[in-house]
């Protein structure tokens, strides 16, 4: 099983009513939630860990996970509200306004963390759940606790407007990167973390912090996979973009699923350096999954049969 630990929320997406008036539609989402959904749809045994509310929205999140084959047995189910994220689109790019005070997801604490079963072979963390407290401390504790026991992957998926304590957040990401086997960053994430510079050079520098594999996504320009022994690039296919919500999350799922299907989701294999063929196959699956996602409204990851 690949366990995805992090936020689940409701995206409130902009739409137009049948009368032509502006409207908003609720849609299950959250970066880590989306990655779990995408993994389940790609046919990989997947679990999800977060504080899931017992309210109407929390129930819909749990049902959506189950419908994509994702297990939620490790999730605490507190009687707190669900996080809401109002989404606006600026030139096709998603911008968010979060309503997150005292929610089920945010109030997860280190004391709520379960022991992970032996069936969990990889742990994925990231997203806005690392920017808020106390849940940020809980997910960092989990990630550092499990590093070295199983494959760990981090996607910061940075939302600068949501960061309350910049130095503390940067320090957390540095600690988690040092413990991660795989790190995925967008070019925007990379510049926020490392400043100006050529993206691939900045991504290579991250390898010196500890990760065995760094993935750099550059939107329509494609994606790079960089390790100590190999570098691969794959262009993105031309698609009609509806919106970019969930694109990076589907990419993450594609990478993890591709490595799992190749038998390469293994710390020793990552340390030795993955063959070019394995990196290319995983990149291909990830990019195709992301491309199909951006061709749809909202975060709607593809099923495996749509990609074959």
């Amino acid at each position: 099983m690949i366990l995805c630990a992090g936020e689940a929320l409701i995206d409130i997406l902009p739409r137009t009513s049948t009368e032509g008036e502006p409207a908003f539609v609720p849609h299950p989402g959250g970066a880590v939630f989306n990655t779990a959904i995408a993994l389940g749809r790609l046919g990989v045994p997947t679990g999800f860990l977060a504080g899931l509310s017992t309210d109407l929205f929390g129930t819909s999140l749990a049902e959506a996970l189950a419908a994509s084959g994702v297990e939620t047995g490790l999730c605490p189910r507190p009687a707190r509200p669900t996080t809401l994220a109002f989404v606006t689109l600026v030139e096709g790019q998603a911008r968010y306004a979060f309503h997150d005070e005292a929610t089920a997801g945010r109030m997860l604490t280190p004391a709520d963390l379960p022991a992970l079963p032996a069936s969990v072979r990889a742990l994925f963390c990231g997203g806005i759940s690392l920017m808020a407290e106390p849940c940020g401390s809980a997910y960092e504790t989990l990630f550092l606790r499990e590093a070295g026991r199983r494959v760990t992957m981090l996607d910061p998926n940075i939302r600068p407007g949501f960061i309350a304590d910049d130095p503390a957040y940067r320090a957390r990401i540095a600690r988690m990167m040092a413990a991660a086997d795989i790190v995925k960053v967008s070019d925007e994430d990379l510049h926020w973390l490392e400043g100006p510079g050529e993206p691939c050079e900045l991504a290579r520098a991250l390898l010196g912090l500890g990760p065995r594999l760094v993935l750099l996504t550059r939107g329509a320009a494609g994606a790079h996979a960089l390790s100590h022994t190999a570098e691969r690039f794959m262009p993105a296919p031309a698609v009609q973009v509806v919106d970019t919500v969930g694109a990076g999350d589907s990419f993450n799922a594609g990478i993890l699923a591709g490595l799992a299907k190749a038998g390469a989701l293994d710390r020793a294999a990552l340390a030795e350096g993955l063959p070019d063929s394995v990196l290319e196959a995983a990149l291909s699956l990830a990019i195709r999954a992301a491309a199909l996602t951006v061709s749809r409204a909202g975060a709607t990851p593809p099923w495996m049969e749509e990609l074959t």
Side-chain angles (χ1 to χ4, degrees):
M1 177 188 290
I2 299 172
L3 181 65
C4 300
E7 75 271 10
L9 51 83
I10 298 295
D11 284 320
I12 308 296
L13 302 174
R15 296 291 182 263
T16 302
S17 72
T18 55
E19 290 78 23
E21 297 177 333
F24 285 93
V25 175
H27 194 286
V32 181
F33 171 92
N34 292 338
T35 296
I37 291 284
L39 273 168
R41 294 184 179 187
L42 292 177
V44 178
T46 306
F48 182 72
L49 172 59
L52 277 184
S53 175
T54 54
D55 68 7
L56 172 68
F57 289 135
T59 299
S60 71
L61 289 166
E63 290 173 347
L65 289 161
S68 291
V70 180
E71 297 184 17
T72 57
L74 294 174
C75 292
R77 299 298 305 271
R80 292 180 177 273
T82 297
T83 300
L84 304 180
F86 283 81
V87 182
T88 56
L89 300 175
V90 180
E91 297 179 352
Q93 299 294 313
R95 298 290 183 267
Y96 300 85
F98 293 96
H99 294 253
D100 194 40
E101 290 298 323
T103 59
R106 183 169 182 173
M107 299 309 293
L108 185 78
T109 71
D112 297 318
L113 296 174
L116 300 190
S119 58
V120 175
R121 60 174 169 172
L123 172 66
F124 173 83
C125 288
I128 65 166
S129 50
L130 299 179
M131 305 175 198
E133 292 297 341
C135 65
S137 292
Y139 292 119
E140 181 186 358
T141 297
L142 177 69
F143 199 82
L144 298 183
R145 186 187 82 188
E146 299 302 324
R149 301 182 186 181
R150 58 201 91 227
V151 173
T152 50
M153 179 173 173
L154 173 69
D155 175 11
N157 197 17
I158 298 164
R159 298 285 181 262
F162 198 68
I163 298 169
D165 187 335
D166 188 289
Y169 174 70
R170 287 180 182 273
R172 168 168 292 156
I173 294 301
R175 290 190 296 269
M176 294 180 73
M177 277 190 179
D181 296 299
I182 304 171
V183 170
K184 177 259 185 176
V185 285
S186 69
D187 47 3
E188 290 182 348
D189 293 337
L190 194 54
H191 288 307
W192 190 88
L193 286 167
E194 301 297 325
E198 199 283 318
C200 282
E201 291 183 6
L202 295 176
R204 279 186 209 102
L206 296 184
L207 290 169
L209 301 179
R212 305 294 189 175
L213 178 64
V214 172
L215 303 156
L216 169 63
T217 59
R218 305 181 72 175
H224 302 258
L226 306 98
S227 73
H228 291 287
T229 60
E231 292 187 14
R232 310 305 295 171
F233 167 77
M234 191 162 291
V239 295
Q240 183 73 37
V241 176
V242 174
D243 65 51
T244 61
V245 179
D249 312 323
S250 291
F251 180 92
N252 291 333
I255 287 292
L256 287 167
L259 294 179
K261 292 175 187 295
L265 196 58
D266 177 84
R267 296 194 73 243
L270 287 164
E272 292 171 4
L274 300 177
D276 288 350
S277 59
V278 171
L279 285 177
E280 288 175 357
L283 269 179
S284 175
L285 181 58
I287 285 177
R288 287 182 288 124
L292 195 49
T293 300
V294 302
S295 71
R296 301 166 168 175
T300 309
W303 296 85
M304 192 65 196
E305 53 265 32
E306 296 180 87
L307 299 174
T308 56

